[in-house]
């Protein structure tokens, strides 16, 4: 897959990965998200709900990285923002939310098509529409700096009592702690979130079903990336 050219080049004083490298890491992150889904499902089915929730959350984060790195491969001039962003859990949650929002917007046209013709567009066409929406938002907005992402999640938590940040579920599902009022906090406290987190990861995987082939095949990738760029330029 891809060329044999060097995988990094210099922009000013900073090294930037090549589009081919971003494409490869997007594919690896997607494969990891799929593996985490399978393992989370096994844990859920065996009654290990807290651990299932933890792996599902990590899987959603890996899927978020897939989306970000795919965009970086298409628009490498925007990729600088990822250096400081993708190590932060809050940022990955913002990306995951952006992916869901873009899917909702992109699904409007297929829904109209279904209502008028009784058929849905091909999965590849739906995925293309989704990434066009993400590209129109831009990587800088999808993957904000950690400080901005933290503020976003804090605001969401204030507006929605049931909102939970991914670091909370990951930590709470693995560690025993003690609260300020001396309550013993055990991993079982996140068991109630296992089903929703697993279903959320399953949804992410389903929406990205054609992406593994697109990222793996040079011809499919060229067609997909060229189409995203052209549609964004025409907008």
């Amino acid at each position: 897959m891809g060329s044999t050219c060097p995988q990094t080049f210099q922009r000013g004083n900073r090294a930037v990965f090549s589009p081919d490298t971003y494409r490869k890491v997007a594919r690896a992150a997607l494969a990891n998200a799929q593996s985490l889904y399978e393992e989370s499902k096994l844990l859920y089915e065996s009654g290990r709900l807290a651990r299932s929730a933890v792996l599902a959350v990590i899987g959603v984060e890996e899927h978020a990285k897939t989306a970000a790195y795919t965009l970086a491969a298409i628009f490498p001039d925007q990729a600088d923002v990822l250096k400081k962003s993708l190590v932060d859990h809050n940022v990955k949650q913002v990306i995951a939310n952006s992916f869901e929002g873009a899917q909702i917007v992109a699904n409007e046209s297929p829904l109209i098509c279904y209502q008028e013709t009784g058929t849905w567009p091909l999965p590849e066409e739906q995925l293309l529409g989704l990434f066009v929406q993400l590209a129109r938002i831009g990587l800088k907005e999808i993957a904000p700096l950690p400080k901005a992402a933290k503020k976003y999640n804090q605001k969401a938590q204030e507006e929605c009592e049931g909102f939970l940040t991914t670091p909370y579920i990951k930590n709470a599902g693995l560690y025993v702690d003690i609260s300020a009022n001396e309550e013993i906090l055990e991993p079982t406290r996140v068991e109630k979130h296992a089903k929703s987190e697993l279903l959320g990861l399953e949804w992410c995987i389903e929406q990205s079903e054609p992406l593994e082939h697109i990222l793996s095949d040079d011809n499919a990738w060229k067609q997909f990336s060229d189409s995203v760029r052209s549609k964004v330029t025409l907008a």
Side-chain angles (χ1 to χ4, degrees):
M1 180 182 74
S3 68
T4 58
C5 296
Q7 295 301 296
T8 61
F9 58 94
Q10 292 292 131
R11 176 177 294 152
N13 295 322
R14 292 183 291 178
V16 180
F17 293 114
S18 72
D20 191 53
T21 296
Y22 286 123
R23 177 181 157 197
K24 288 178 179 178
V25 74
R27 183 185 175 192
L30 179 59
N32 196 32
Q34 292 168 333
S35 295
L36 286 162
Y37 166 71
E38 293 166 3
E39 293 163 13
S40 175
K41 187 175 181 181
L42 286 173
L43 287 170
Y44 184 87
E45 292 172 346
S46 65
R48 307 296 295 272
L49 303 186
R51 302 301 196 265
S52 172
V54 170
L55 289 191
V57 165
I58 297 173
V60 169
E61 291 187 354
E62 284 296 275
H63 183 270
K65 287 161 60 178
T66 299
Y69 282 130
T70 299
L71 284 174
I74 300 172
F75 302 99
D77 58 312
Q78 300 180 24
D80 279 359
V81 299
L82 299 185
K83 291 182 179 181
K84 296 181 179 179
S85 296
L86 291 189
V87 296
D88 185 89
H89 301 298
N90 287 309
V91 173
K92 286 179 277 191
Q93 184 172 343
V94 172
I95 298 171
N97 291 340
S98 297
F99 184 90
E100 182 178 356
Q103 193 277 339
I104 292 172
V105 174
N107 201 42
E108 292 177 358
S109 294
L111 181 59
I112 294 172
C113 179
Y114 176 76
Q115 291 171 339
E116 293 179 348
T117 67
T119 59
W120 283 93
L122 294 173
E124 292 81 2
E125 295 172 344
Q126 295 183 57
L127 187 69
L128 173 63
L130 193 161
F131 270 91
V132 168
Q133 291 300 325
L134 287 172
R136 287 173 178 164
I137 299 170
L139 268 176
K140 188 174 181 179
E141 294 297 322
I142 292 171
L145 292 174
K147 186 176 180 180
K150 184 177 181 179
K151 287 183 178 179
Y152 169 89
N153 286 331
Q154 286 175 337
K155 182 179 179 181
Q157 198 158 15
E158 291 170 358
E159 295 175 350
C160 178
E161 187 177 345
F163 181 88
L164 292 173
T165 62
T166 55
Y168 166 80
I169 294 178
K170 288 195 322 191
N171 291 334
L174 292 175
Y175 303 111
V176 171
D177 206 345
I178 183 169
S179 69
N181 60 359
E182 300 186 0
E183 178 187 1
I184 305 302
L185 305 175
E186 299 183 5
T188 52
R189 58 190 153 143
V190 303
E191 287 185 346
K192 61 185 178 181
H193 302 295
K195 184 175 182 179
S196 61
E197 293 298 330
L198 180 59
L199 290 176
L201 176 55
E202 182 178 69
W203 178 85
C204 291
I205 299 297
E206 289 175 350
Q207 298 304 311
S208 303
E209 189 274 330
L211 191 56
E212 196 282 330
H213 171 70
I214 290 170
L215 291 169
S216 303
D217 184 87
D218 288 339
N219 291 331
W221 171 253
K222 186 178 187 309
Q223 181 178 353
F224 179 80
S225 56
D226 286 350
S227 295
V228 172
R229 281 190 291 266
S230 65
K231 288 180 180 295
V232 171
T233 301
L234 291 173

